[in-house]
Amino acid sequence: MLIQDGYMIDPKSGKEGNFDILIDGDKIVKIAEKIEPKGKVTRINAEGLLVAPGLVDVHVHFRDPGFTAKEDINTGAAAAAKGGVTTVVLMANTKPTVDSEETLKYILDKGAKTGIHVTTCANVTMGMQGKQLTDMKKLAAAGAVGFTDDGVPLLDAELVRRAMEISAELDMPISFHEEDPKYIENNGVNRGKASEYYGIGGSSREAEIALVERDLKLAEETGACIDIQHISSKEAVELVRQAKKRCSNIHAEATPHHFTLTEDAVIKYGTLAKMNPPLREEEDRQAVIRGLVDGTIDMIATDHAPHTAEEKAKPITEAPSGITGLETSLALGITELVDAGYLTMKQLLRLMSTNPAAMYHLDAGYLAEGGPADVILIDTAAEFIPEQYVSKATNTPFTGWKLKGEVKKTICGGKMVYEA
């Protein structure tokens, strides 16, 4: 396969310009200004398009096993491919949870047949009960790429310390959902204007601040590589900023919805904008963007969280939290961050591919000779309106928005897995 006449950006090396890329099997074999291959080759005209590494989304829910009415591994992978994502790291809050080698094997085996790279975390605790650690070493040996009880905060500090010590020994990341329930009454809605609008208690920013503070301290003491997931408050961003000056193993991720929306969206869109942690105030949104600009937040991840239309049609206090994100994440990054002047395209791609791949020790997120043939072609000027989704779910407030930056082709492992 020969990709010709595109404008290439490799966020890892910083190399960019007009290059041809020759792919043989699942590897890139040559990158040069002009390539004239011998023999039979499939030519792809990339003139006018940006050629970038496949995106790496390290916070995704495919709901499989256990909740496949919402999504399954096949439909989730198709949504990823459409969004330019060639590698996903799945969260472990399935049913059964990923606390056994059997469930882990089921996910990896099914994921291997999808056309994209499906990896998964295993749980930190058995059944996500927060009481007993899983056999982290055994799960790592069986193919888990990291550990998390995402969806449920870990409240036992001593247990968290032990988990961090084991993950540090394994040199694997451990990711944290930072919401202390003692500061929450009716989660998914910010305590403030939005909770007052609905006449409910809502989620205080203290819920995030308290656990972020604790886990940053523990990470510094144990040397564990940690990821503060879906950061939402200005205070948490600042805590991470200061901790990163002292410790290189601390990472944080932001979602497209947290850098795009505020709690006003919950008033406008109702349950479609209900998520954990909730959308907060404009000051928080701006703090998240500043964190992305200065490297405090070093990854963008979707927290793709599909739910059925019936579930989201319930009242605000009963509907589940979460929105889908795989099919709109890159366009939101281009529209809200690049076009708005906060980031360059190279910086955005680094946040969405190179950095997350590096934290999880994945061979992904870059374009180089000998590297993986995971490549996306993007029309950065194309405007489109999200209306039809390949995900089973449509629970997103971004339906009907005018977004910029459309994925035209997704190549994974040297094979075309999506074409617009």
Side-chain angles (χ1 to χ4, degrees), residues 234 237 241 283 285-296:
K234 61 185 180 184
V237 175
R241 181 176 286 116
E283 276 189 20
R285 187 181 80 86
Q286 288 296 332
V288 168
I289 292 172
R290 281 195 301 276
L292 289 165
V293 170
D294 70 14
T296 297

Side-chain angles (χ1 to χ4, degrees), residues 376-417:
I376 55 175
L377 277 59
I378 310 158
D379 186 340
T380 55
E383 290 186 336
F384 73 102
I385 295 171
E387 286 171 324
Q388 300 294 320
Y389 301 98
V390 296
S391 167
K392 281 186 185 180
T394 59
N395 53 298
T396 170
F398 298 119
T399 300
W401 281 43
K402 187 183 279 187
L403 299 178
K404 202 167 172 188
E406 188 176 15
V407 176
K408 292 299 185 183
K409 295 182 195 298
T410 302
I411 297 157
C412 185
K415 293 177 180 166
M416 191 76 68
V417 292

Side-chain angles (χ1 to χ4, degrees), residues 2 58 66 107 140 144 161 178-179 218 238 253 330 345 400 405:
L2 178 64
V58 296
I107 291 167
R161 179 189 293 278
E178 307 288 43
E179 288 193 292
L218 288 172
E238 187 56 31
E253 65 186 43
L330 178 61
M345 195 68 210

Side-chain angles (χ1 to χ4, degrees), residues 176-180 204-217 220 226-246 250-254 258 277-278 280 283-292 294-298:
F176 291 98
H177 184 121
E178 307 288 43
E179 288 193 292
D180 190 332
S204 164
R205 62 184 54 246
E206 289 300 326
E208 181 171 83
I209 296 163
L211 290 187
V212 168
E213 207 161 22
R214 180 200 72 183
D215 291 339
L216 292 173
K217 184 172 180 289
E220 288 186 58
I226 73 161
D227 172 23
I228 304 295
Q229 296 180 301
H230 42 43
I231 203 161
S232 73
S233 66
K234 61 185 180 184
E235 294 87 353
V237 175
E238 187 56 31
L239 284 167
V240 171
R241 181 176 286 116
Q242 297 310 317
K244 284 185 93 155
K245 291 174 183 175
R246 301 185 295 270
I250 287 164
H251 304 275
E253 65 186 43
H258 284 113
R280 300 202 190 272
E283 276 189 20
D284 299 296
R285 187 181 80 86
Q286 288 296 332
V288 168
I289 292 172
R290 281 195 301 276
L292 289 165
D294 70 14
T296 297
I297 302 169
D298 47 9

